[in-house]
Amino acid sequence: MRSVFGLLAFIPLFSSLAIAGPVTDFRLDNGMQVVVVEDHRAPVVMHMVWYRAGAADEPPGSSGIAHFLEHLLFKATDDLTSGEFSQIVADNGGSDNAFTSHDYTAYFQRIAADRLGLMMSMEADRMRDLLLSEDDIGTERDVILEERNQRTDNEPGALFREQMNAALYMNHPYGIPVIGWRHEMEQLSQEDALTFYRRYYAPDNAVLVVAGDVVPNEVLALAKAHYGALRPTGNLPTRARPSEPPQLAERRLVFTDARVSQPYVRRVYLAPERNSGAQEQAAALLYLAEILGGSGATSVLGRALQFDRQVAVYTGAGYSGTSLDSDAFSLVIVPNRGISLEEAESAMDEVIAQFMQDGVDIKQFERIKMQIRASEIYALDDVSDLAERYGRALTSGLTIEDVQAWPDVLQAVTPEDVMAAAEAVFDRDRAVTGWLMKETEEVAE
């Protein structure tokens, strides 16, 4: 049952990145936040609905329900038959899809700007009026189980990373895979899906992001017409997840699988996330990842281990930062033929220790700063990227102001900031080191 809700607020905001065009933010009385990012270079629009509900918000024992529901949202509603949503998008020359993470679930359509109202009408319909039969549950449960089979169970590297995450997060649900544990996925029911749907799929738990060739007032009118009539859930639970206890000892694991063709060493450290109004440490960690492992030819690990000593065929480092709770910083080394995993790990540790002693190379730092600035500008050429950066941020505890300030925060990072971030993160008591290998006998050797 739908009832009418009007417009509560309309607040224009302007991005510091002029090439992106103005950003406008408003909120409906039913709690739905709407963000409009103007880009009039092509008559195309990216329409995205983001829900503040992901795998880390699932009830215990129902892992995978967020991703399962993502699949089920392409089934029937009171107005559309199963599969009709995507067919209408395709018939209108567009494309659509969805994705789930630990912190959010997002649905999107990229389409001609004059079809925006049609997209809103269909997305609003499935936000509150999804119809699920037992046949839908059984069929789609088989689909996600096969997806896990193909992407995880049949891929040793994926299983290895899954085990490492479970060891890194001893108490937080980030240690549970987004797709879910197989034994729990097999038990997901219609009741599980509808309970999660009714609780989280509501305007007051959603962010609508529209990027492209649009005018804010017109988007506002369409949003009011299609989404403003939806009744909110109300009394949504605070997104307070279990926190990590003090981690007092390094964890190590050896994962063996007969299908492994290339052994490697991976280490993951618990690391701070990007926080609203305090993004500086996350920016420094992004630089640290680039400095240590961004490019095989120019990074610290790459130069030392792939070229100078030739003990590795690949090295890398990674950090994303955009998560609601504690993130992770990773290092990886794939050894050359004839180099054991023990030797590879030791070589990696030697290079990291030397880096901590020597500090940041200024020329490399300035080059990376220029590259980061260029990548931030190039990313604005794609309306999909524009929409995603706002949706991902707003469902991960950040604000529009944080997104707009991010390029300046990145440019303000100093070599001293990078070394301070490295000192804070490189604590082996807050890390998991893993070996992926083919045979257990290699451990004894």
PDB file of all heavy atoms in Angstrom, residues 318-352:
ATOM      1  N   GLY A 318      47.723  -3.320  -1.972  1.00  0.00           N
ATOM      2  CA  GLY A 318      46.381  -2.832  -2.230  1.00  0.00           C
ATOM      3  C   GLY A 318      45.691  -2.258  -1.013  1.00  0.00           C
ATOM      4  O   GLY A 318      45.917  -2.701   0.117  1.00  0.00           O
ATOM      5  N   TYR A 319      44.858  -1.250  -1.269  1.00  0.00           N
ATOM      6  CA  TYR A 319      44.045  -0.634  -0.223  1.00  0.00           C
ATOM      7  C   TYR A 319      42.899   0.093  -0.911  1.00  0.00           C
ATOM      8  O   TYR A 319      43.116   0.851  -1.854  1.00  0.00           O
ATOM      9  CB  TYR A 319      44.875   0.351   0.594  1.00  0.00           C
ATOM     10  CG  TYR A 319      44.067   1.175   1.578  1.00  0.00           C
ATOM     11  CD1 TYR A 319      43.589   0.604   2.762  1.00  0.00           C
ATOM     12  CD2 TYR A 319      43.772   2.505   1.322  1.00  0.00           C
ATOM     13  CE1 TYR A 319      42.842   1.357   3.658  1.00  0.00           C
ATOM     14  CE2 TYR A 319      43.034   3.266   2.217  1.00  0.00           C
ATOM     15  CZ  TYR A 319      42.570   2.691   3.384  1.00  0.00           C
ATOM     16  OH  TYR A 319      41.822   3.434   4.267  1.00  0.00           O
ATOM     17  N   SER A 320      41.670  -0.139  -0.449  1.00  0.00           N
ATOM     18  CA  SER A 320      40.529   0.551  -1.060  1.00  0.00           C
ATOM     19  C   SER A 320      40.055   1.712  -0.189  1.00  0.00           C
ATOM     20  O   SER A 320      39.871   2.826  -0.660  1.00  0.00           O
ATOM     21  CB  SER A 320      39.380  -0.424  -1.306  1.00  0.00           C
ATOM     22  OG  SER A 320      38.869  -0.913  -0.072  1.00  0.00           O
ATOM     23  N   GLY A 321      39.845   1.446   1.098  1.00  0.00           N
ATOM     24  CA  GLY A 321      39.497   2.513   2.026  1.00  0.00           C
ATOM     25  C   GLY A 321      38.019   2.794   2.158  1.00  0.00           C
ATOM     26  O   GLY A 321      37.555   3.201   3.219  1.00  0.00           O
ATOM     27  N   THR A 322      37.247   2.621   1.091  1.00  0.00           N
ATOM     28  CA  THR A 322      35.832   2.986   1.153  1.00  0.00           C
ATOM     29  C   THR A 322      35.016   1.834   1.707  1.00  0.00           C
ATOM     30  O   THR A 322      34.492   0.995   0.973  1.00  0.00           O
ATOM     31  CB  THR A 322      35.316   3.394  -0.239  1.00  0.00           C
ATOM     32  OG1 THR A 322      36.170   4.394  -0.778  1.00  0.00           O
ATOM     33  CG2 THR A 322      33.909   3.965  -0.140  1.00  0.00           C
ATOM     34  N   SER A 323      34.934   1.784   3.017  1.00  0.00           N
ATOM     35  CA  SER A 323      34.109   0.797   3.702  1.00  0.00           C
ATOM     36  C   SER A 323      33.556   1.445   4.964  1.00  0.00           C
ATOM     37  O   SER A 323      34.105   2.438   5.445  1.00  0.00           O
ATOM     38  CB  SER A 323      34.920  -0.460   4.052  1.00  0.00           C
ATOM     39  OG  SER A 323      35.998  -0.145   4.899  1.00  0.00           O
ATOM     40  N   LEU A 324      32.479   0.907   5.469  1.00  0.00           N
ATOM     41  CA  LEU A 324      31.857   1.503   6.644  1.00  0.00           C
ATOM     42  C   LEU A 324      32.701   1.277   7.890  1.00  0.00           C
ATOM     43  O   LEU A 324      32.800   2.137   8.761  1.00  0.00           O
ATOM     44  CB  LEU A 324      30.456   0.919   6.848  1.00  0.00           C
ATOM     45  CG  LEU A 324      29.607   1.541   7.949  1.00  0.00           C
ATOM     46  CD1 LEU A 324      29.360   3.023   7.686  1.00  0.00           C
ATOM     47  CD2 LEU A 324      28.285   0.799   8.089  1.00  0.00           C
ATOM     48  N   ASP A 325      33.336   0.100   7.975  1.00  0.00           N
ATOM     49  CA  ASP A 325      34.146  -0.255   9.141  1.00  0.00           C
ATOM     50  C   ASP A 325      35.582  -0.545   8.703  1.00  0.00           C
ATOM     51  O   ASP A 325      35.953  -0.295   7.560  1.00  0.00           O
ATOM     52  CB  ASP A 325      33.524  -1.454   9.857  1.00  0.00           C
ATOM     53  CG  ASP A 325      32.103  -1.160  10.330  1.00  0.00           C
ATOM     54  OD1 ASP A 325      31.878  -0.090  10.916  1.00  0.00           O
ATOM     55  OD2 ASP A 325      31.208  -1.994  10.080  1.00  0.00           O
ATOM     56  N   SER A 326      36.375  -1.084   9.614  1.00  0.00           N
ATOM     57  CA  SER A 326      37.806  -1.273   9.365  1.00  0.00           C
ATOM     58  C   SER A 326      38.086  -1.973   8.041  1.00  0.00           C
ATOM     59  O   SER A 326      37.454  -2.981   7.702  1.00  0.00           O
ATOM     60  CB  SER A 326      38.431  -2.087  10.498  1.00  0.00           C
ATOM     61  OG  SER A 326      38.376  -1.358  11.697  1.00  0.00           O
ATOM     62  N   ASP A 327      39.063  -1.451   7.330  1.00  0.00           N
ATOM     63  CA  ASP A 327      39.432  -1.958   6.017  1.00  0.00           C
ATOM     64  C   ASP A 327      40.661  -2.860   6.143  1.00  0.00           C
ATOM     65  O   ASP A 327      41.014  -3.296   7.236  1.00  0.00           O
ATOM     66  CB  ASP A 327      39.698  -0.783   5.075  1.00  0.00           C
ATOM     67  CG  ASP A 327      39.315  -1.106   3.641  1.00  0.00           C
ATOM     68  OD1 ASP A 327      39.951  -1.982   3.044  1.00  0.00           O
ATOM     69  OD2 ASP A 327      38.374  -0.464   3.118  1.00  0.00           O
ATOM     70  N   ALA A 328      41.320  -3.112   5.009  1.00  0.00           N
ATOM     71  CA  ALA A 328      42.500  -3.969   5.002  1.00  0.00           C
ATOM     72  C   ALA A 328      43.527  -3.429   4.023  1.00  0.00           C
ATOM     73  O   ALA A 328      43.175  -2.849   2.988  1.00  0.00           O
ATOM     74  CB  ALA A 328      42.129  -5.396   4.628  1.00  0.00           C
ATOM     75  N   PHE A 329      44.797  -3.626   4.360  1.00  0.00           N
ATOM     76  CA  PHE A 329      45.915  -3.270   3.482  1.00  0.00           C
ATOM     77  C   PHE A 329      46.637  -4.567   3.155  1.00  0.00           C
ATOM     78  O   PHE A 329      46.995  -5.334   4.060  1.00  0.00           O
ATOM     79  CB  PHE A 329      46.870  -2.295   4.186  1.00  0.00           C
ATOM     80  CG  PHE A 329      47.932  -1.729   3.296  1.00  0.00           C
ATOM     81  CD1 PHE A 329      47.778  -0.477   2.725  1.00  0.00           C
ATOM     82  CD2 PHE A 329      49.094  -2.441   3.018  1.00  0.00           C
ATOM     83  CE1 PHE A 329      48.755   0.060   1.884  1.00  0.00           C
ATOM     84  CE2 PHE A 329      50.073  -1.928   2.182  1.00  0.00           C
ATOM     85  CZ  PHE A 329      49.909  -0.669   1.610  1.00  0.00           C
ATOM     86  N   SER A 330      46.879  -4.829   1.875  1.00  0.00           N
ATOM     87  CA  SER A 330      47.429  -6.128   1.484  1.00  0.00           C
ATOM     88  C   SER A 330      48.754  -6.002   0.742  1.00  0.00           C
ATOM     89  O   SER A 330      49.018  -5.008   0.051  1.00  0.00           O
ATOM     90  CB  SER A 330      46.432  -6.883   0.596  1.00  0.00           C
ATOM     91  OG  SER A 330      46.198  -6.170  -0.603  1.00  0.00           O
ATOM     92  N   LEU A 331      49.579  -7.034   0.895  1.00  0.00           N
ATOM     93  CA  LEU A 331      50.829  -7.190   0.162  1.00  0.00           C
ATOM     94  C   LEU A 331      50.833  -8.581  -0.467  1.00  0.00           C
ATOM     95  O   LEU A 331      50.300  -9.529   0.121  1.00  0.00           O
ATOM     96  CB  LEU A 331      52.040  -7.063   1.092  1.00  0.00           C
ATOM     97  CG  LEU A 331      52.225  -5.757   1.855  1.00  0.00           C
ATOM     98  CD1 LEU A 331      53.339  -5.922   2.894  1.00  0.00           C
ATOM     99  CD2 LEU A 331      52.548  -4.615   0.900  1.00  0.00           C
ATOM    100  N   VAL A 332      51.427  -8.706  -1.648  1.00  0.00           N
ATOM    101  CA  VAL A 332      51.488 -10.016  -2.287  1.00  0.00           C
ATOM    102  C   VAL A 332      52.797 -10.146  -3.050  1.00  0.00           C
ATOM    103  O   VAL A 332      53.320  -9.165  -3.592  1.00  0.00           O
ATOM    104  CB  VAL A 332      50.285 -10.233  -3.243  1.00  0.00           C
ATOM    105  CG1 VAL A 332      50.308  -9.232  -4.386  1.00  0.00           C
ATOM    106  CG2 VAL A 332      50.249 -11.649  -3.777  1.00  0.00           C
ATOM    107  N   ILE A 333      53.339 -11.357  -3.061  1.00  0.00           N
ATOM    108  CA  ILE A 333      54.525 -11.658  -3.862  1.00  0.00           C
ATOM    109  C   ILE A 333      54.348 -13.039  -4.489  1.00  0.00           C
ATOM    110  O   ILE A 333      54.031 -14.013  -3.799  1.00  0.00           O
ATOM    111  CB  ILE A 333      55.836 -11.587  -3.043  1.00  0.00           C
ATOM    112  CG1 ILE A 333      57.025 -12.003  -3.914  1.00  0.00           C
ATOM    113  CG2 ILE A 333      55.757 -12.401  -1.761  1.00  0.00           C
ATOM    114  CD1 ILE A 333      58.376 -11.730  -3.276  1.00  0.00           C
ATOM    115  N   VAL A 334      54.527 -13.099  -5.800  1.00  0.00           N
ATOM    116  CA  VAL A 334      54.484 -14.358  -6.544  1.00  0.00           C
ATOM    117  C   VAL A 334      55.932 -14.691  -6.918  1.00  0.00           C
ATOM    118  O   VAL A 334      56.555 -13.977  -7.704  1.00  0.00           O
ATOM    119  CB  VAL A 334      53.624 -14.231  -7.808  1.00  0.00           C
ATOM    120  CG1 VAL A 334      53.583 -15.570  -8.550  1.00  0.00           C
ATOM    121  CG2 VAL A 334      52.217 -13.749  -7.465  1.00  0.00           C
ATOM    122  N   PRO A 335      56.506 -15.742  -6.331  1.00  0.00           N
ATOM    123  CA  PRO A 335      57.940 -16.007  -6.526  1.00  0.00           C
ATOM    124  C   PRO A 335      58.267 -16.545  -7.912  1.00  0.00           C
ATOM    125  O   PRO A 335      57.433 -17.161  -8.581  1.00  0.00           O
ATOM    126  CB  PRO A 335      58.254 -17.057  -5.459  1.00  0.00           C
ATOM    127  CG  PRO A 335      56.953 -17.748  -5.223  1.00  0.00           C
ATOM    128  CD  PRO A 335      55.886 -16.711  -5.402  1.00  0.00           C
ATOM    129  N   ASN A 336      59.492 -16.292  -8.316  1.00  0.00           N
ATOM    130  CA  ASN A 336      60.019 -16.861  -9.545  1.00  0.00           C
ATOM    131  C   ASN A 336      60.211 -18.368  -9.373  1.00  0.00           C
ATOM    132  O   ASN A 336      60.255 -18.878  -8.246  1.00  0.00           O
ATOM    133  CB  ASN A 336      61.372 -16.217  -9.874  1.00  0.00           C
ATOM    134  CG  ASN A 336      61.382 -15.576 -11.247  1.00  0.00           C
ATOM    135  OD1 ASN A 336      60.804 -16.123 -12.184  1.00  0.00           O
ATOM    136  ND2 ASN A 336      62.031 -14.434 -11.357  1.00  0.00           N
ATOM    137  N   ARG A 337      60.328 -19.060 -10.479  1.00  0.00           N
ATOM    138  CA  ARG A 337      60.585 -20.508 -10.425  1.00  0.00           C
ATOM    139  C   ARG A 337      61.870 -20.776  -9.649  1.00  0.00           C
ATOM    140  O   ARG A 337      62.889 -20.094  -9.844  1.00  0.00           O
ATOM    141  CB  ARG A 337      60.694 -21.073 -11.836  1.00  0.00           C
ATOM    142  CG  ARG A 337      60.840 -22.590 -11.896  1.00  0.00           C
ATOM    143  CD  ARG A 337      60.931 -23.060 -13.335  1.00  0.00           C
ATOM    144  NE  ARG A 337      59.728 -22.734 -14.089  1.00  0.00           N
ATOM    145  CZ  ARG A 337      58.619 -23.488 -14.117  1.00  0.00           C
ATOM    146  NH1 ARG A 337      58.584 -24.623 -13.408  1.00  0.00           N
ATOM    147  NH2 ARG A 337      57.578 -23.136 -14.827  1.00  0.00           N
ATOM    148  N   GLY A 338      61.822 -21.748  -8.739  1.00  0.00           N
ATOM    149  CA  GLY A 338      62.988 -22.098  -7.940  1.00  0.00           C
ATOM    150  C   GLY A 338      63.103 -21.339  -6.636  1.00  0.00           C
ATOM    151  O   GLY A 338      63.979 -21.642  -5.822  1.00  0.00           O
ATOM    152  N   ILE A 339      62.224 -20.363  -6.421  1.00  0.00           N
ATOM    153  CA  ILE A 339      62.210 -19.591  -5.173  1.00  0.00           C
ATOM    154  C   ILE A 339      61.070 -20.109  -4.304  1.00  0.00           C
ATOM    155  O   ILE A 339      59.912 -20.154  -4.734  1.00  0.00           O
ATOM    156  CB  ILE A 339      62.022 -18.092  -5.441  1.00  0.00           C
ATOM    157  CG1 ILE A 339      63.098 -17.563  -6.385  1.00  0.00           C
ATOM    158  CG2 ILE A 339      62.003 -17.304  -4.138  1.00  0.00           C
ATOM    159  CD1 ILE A 339      64.506 -17.645  -5.848  1.00  0.00           C
ATOM    160  N   SER A 340      61.385 -20.534  -3.094  1.00  0.00           N
ATOM    161  CA  SER A 340      60.358 -21.062  -2.194  1.00  0.00           C
ATOM    162  C   SER A 340      59.508 -19.927  -1.633  1.00  0.00           C
ATOM    163  O   SER A 340      59.899 -18.752  -1.662  1.00  0.00           O
ATOM    164  CB  SER A 340      61.009 -21.836  -1.043  1.00  0.00           C
ATOM    165  OG  SER A 340      61.681 -20.939  -0.161  1.00  0.00           O
ATOM    166  N   LEU A 341      58.356 -20.280  -1.092  1.00  0.00           N
ATOM    167  CA  LEU A 341      57.490 -19.270  -0.475  1.00  0.00           C
ATOM    168  C   LEU A 341      58.158 -18.663   0.751  1.00  0.00           C
ATOM    169  O   LEU A 341      57.992 -17.472   1.031  1.00  0.00           O
ATOM    170  CB  LEU A 341      56.145 -19.893  -0.101  1.00  0.00           C
ATOM    171  CG  LEU A 341      55.275 -20.358  -1.268  1.00  0.00           C
ATOM    172  CD1 LEU A 341      53.941 -20.896  -0.761  1.00  0.00           C
ATOM    173  CD2 LEU A 341      55.043 -19.237  -2.271  1.00  0.00           C
ATOM    174  N   GLU A 342      58.904 -19.454   1.474  1.00  0.00           N
ATOM    175  CA  GLU A 342      59.628 -18.934   2.629  1.00  0.00           C
ATOM    176  C   GLU A 342      60.654 -17.881   2.194  1.00  0.00           C
ATOM    177  O   GLU A 342      60.767 -16.818   2.812  1.00  0.00           O
ATOM    178  CB  GLU A 342      60.327 -20.071   3.363  1.00  0.00           C
ATOM    179  CG  GLU A 342      61.060 -19.615   4.625  1.00  0.00           C
ATOM    180  CD  GLU A 342      61.700 -20.777   5.371  1.00  0.00           C
ATOM    181  OE1 GLU A 342      61.727 -21.892   4.824  1.00  0.00           O
ATOM    182  OE2 GLU A 342      62.184 -20.543   6.499  1.00  0.00           O
ATOM    183  N   GLU A 343      61.370 -18.170   1.124  1.00  0.00           N
ATOM    184  CA  GLU A 343      62.348 -17.218   0.608  1.00  0.00           C
ATOM    185  C   GLU A 343      61.660 -15.960   0.078  1.00  0.00           C
ATOM    186  O   GLU A 343      62.151 -14.840   0.263  1.00  0.00           O
ATOM    187  CB  GLU A 343      63.171 -17.872  -0.498  1.00  0.00           C
ATOM    188  CG  GLU A 343      64.120 -18.961  -0.011  1.00  0.00           C
ATOM    189  CD  GLU A 343      64.720 -19.758  -1.157  1.00  0.00           C
ATOM    190  OE1 GLU A 343      64.049 -19.907  -2.203  1.00  0.00           O
ATOM    191  OE2 GLU A 343      65.860 -20.243  -0.998  1.00  0.00           O
ATOM    192  N   ALA A 344      60.535 -16.157  -0.570  1.00  0.00           N
ATOM    193  CA  ALA A 344      59.802 -15.012  -1.115  1.00  0.00           C
ATOM    194  C   ALA A 344      59.298 -14.104   0.001  1.00  0.00           C
ATOM    195  O   ALA A 344      59.442 -12.872  -0.074  1.00  0.00           O
ATOM    196  CB  ALA A 344      58.627 -15.508  -1.958  1.00  0.00           C
ATOM    197  N   GLU A 345      58.723 -14.696   1.035  1.00  0.00           N
ATOM    198  CA  GLU A 345      58.229 -13.889   2.158  1.00  0.00           C
ATOM    199  C   GLU A 345      59.378 -13.149   2.838  1.00  0.00           C
ATOM    200  O   GLU A 345      59.257 -11.964   3.181  1.00  0.00           O
ATOM    201  CB  GLU A 345      57.508 -14.776   3.175  1.00  0.00           C
ATOM    202  CG  GLU A 345      56.942 -13.978   4.339  1.00  0.00           C
ATOM    203  CD  GLU A 345      56.299 -14.841   5.401  1.00  0.00           C
ATOM    204  OE1 GLU A 345      56.048 -16.041   5.152  1.00  0.00           O
ATOM    205  OE2 GLU A 345      56.045 -14.321   6.516  1.00  0.00           O
ATOM    206  N   SER A 346      60.476 -13.833   3.029  1.00  0.00           N
ATOM    207  CA  SER A 346      61.631 -13.202   3.658  1.00  0.00           C
ATOM    208  C   SER A 346      62.140 -12.026   2.828  1.00  0.00           C
ATOM    209  O   SER A 346      62.473 -10.961   3.371  1.00  0.00           O
ATOM    210  CB  SER A 346      62.750 -14.235   3.838  1.00  0.00           C
ATOM    211  OG  SER A 346      63.898 -13.640   4.396  1.00  0.00           O
ATOM    212  N   ALA A 347      62.185 -12.201   1.502  1.00  0.00           N
ATOM    213  CA  ALA A 347      62.643 -11.126   0.627  1.00  0.00           C
ATOM    214  C   ALA A 347      61.684  -9.938   0.698  1.00  0.00           C
ATOM    215  O   ALA A 347      62.126  -8.777   0.734  1.00  0.00           O
ATOM    216  CB  ALA A 347      62.749 -11.644  -0.804  1.00  0.00           C
ATOM    217  N   MET A 348      60.398 -10.202   0.712  1.00  0.00           N
ATOM    218  CA  MET A 348      59.407  -9.125   0.818  1.00  0.00           C
ATOM    219  C   MET A 348      59.580  -8.361   2.128  1.00  0.00           C
ATOM    220  O   MET A 348      59.561  -7.125   2.153  1.00  0.00           O
ATOM    221  CB  MET A 348      57.992  -9.706   0.725  1.00  0.00           C
ATOM    222  CG  MET A 348      56.887  -8.662   0.785  1.00  0.00           C
ATOM    223  SD  MET A 348      55.227  -9.375   0.622  1.00  0.00           S
ATOM    224  CE  MET A 348      55.043 -10.172   2.240  1.00  0.00           C
ATOM    225  N   ASP A 349      59.768  -9.089   3.214  1.00  0.00           N
ATOM    226  CA  ASP A 349      59.942  -8.440   4.521  1.00  0.00           C
ATOM    227  C   ASP A 349      61.214  -7.598   4.567  1.00  0.00           C
ATOM    228  O   ASP A 349      61.239  -6.531   5.186  1.00  0.00           O
ATOM    229  CB  ASP A 349      59.973  -9.497   5.624  1.00  0.00           C
ATOM    230  CG  ASP A 349      58.590 -10.077   5.904  1.00  0.00           C
ATOM    231  OD1 ASP A 349      57.598  -9.407   5.580  1.00  0.00           O
ATOM    232  OD2 ASP A 349      58.520 -11.195   6.437  1.00  0.00           O
ATOM    233  N   GLU A 350      62.258  -8.073   3.920  1.00  0.00           N
ATOM    234  CA  GLU A 350      63.508  -7.303   3.882  1.00  0.00           C
ATOM    235  C   GLU A 350      63.302  -5.972   3.167  1.00  0.00           C
ATOM    236  O   GLU A 350      63.796  -4.931   3.611  1.00  0.00           O
ATOM    237  CB  GLU A 350      64.591  -8.111   3.177  1.00  0.00           C
ATOM    238  CG  GLU A 350      65.110  -9.291   3.982  1.00  0.00           C
ATOM    239  CD  GLU A 350      66.038 -10.175   3.152  1.00  0.00           C
ATOM    240  OE1 GLU A 350      66.398  -9.765   2.025  1.00  0.00           O
ATOM    241  OE2 GLU A 350      66.393 -11.272   3.637  1.00  0.00           O
ATOM    242  N   VAL A 351      62.561  -5.991   2.066  1.00  0.00           N
ATOM    243  CA  VAL A 351      62.324  -4.764   1.308  1.00  0.00           C
ATOM    244  C   VAL A 351      61.456  -3.803   2.110  1.00  0.00           C
ATOM    245  O   VAL A 351      61.713  -2.587   2.136  1.00  0.00           O
ATOM    246  CB  VAL A 351      61.673  -5.091  -0.054  1.00  0.00           C
ATOM    247  CG1 VAL A 351      61.266  -3.803  -0.775  1.00  0.00           C
ATOM    248  CG2 VAL A 351      62.635  -5.888  -0.920  1.00  0.00           C
ATOM    249  N   ILE A 352      60.431  -4.330   2.784  1.00  0.00           N
ATOM    250  CA  ILE A 352      59.571  -3.475   3.600  1.00  0.00           C
ATOM    251  C   ILE A 352      60.372  -2.855   4.741  1.00  0.00           C
ATOM    252  O   ILE A 352      60.244  -1.656   5.034  1.00  0.00           O
ATOM    253  CB  ILE A 352      58.375  -4.275   4.163  1.00  0.00           C
ATOM    254  CG1 ILE A 352      57.473  -4.764   3.025  1.00  0.00           C
ATOM    255  CG2 ILE A 352      57.578  -3.431   5.143  1.00  0.00           C
ATOM    256  CD1 ILE A 352      56.831  -3.671   2.210  1.00  0.00           C
TER     257      ILE A 352
END
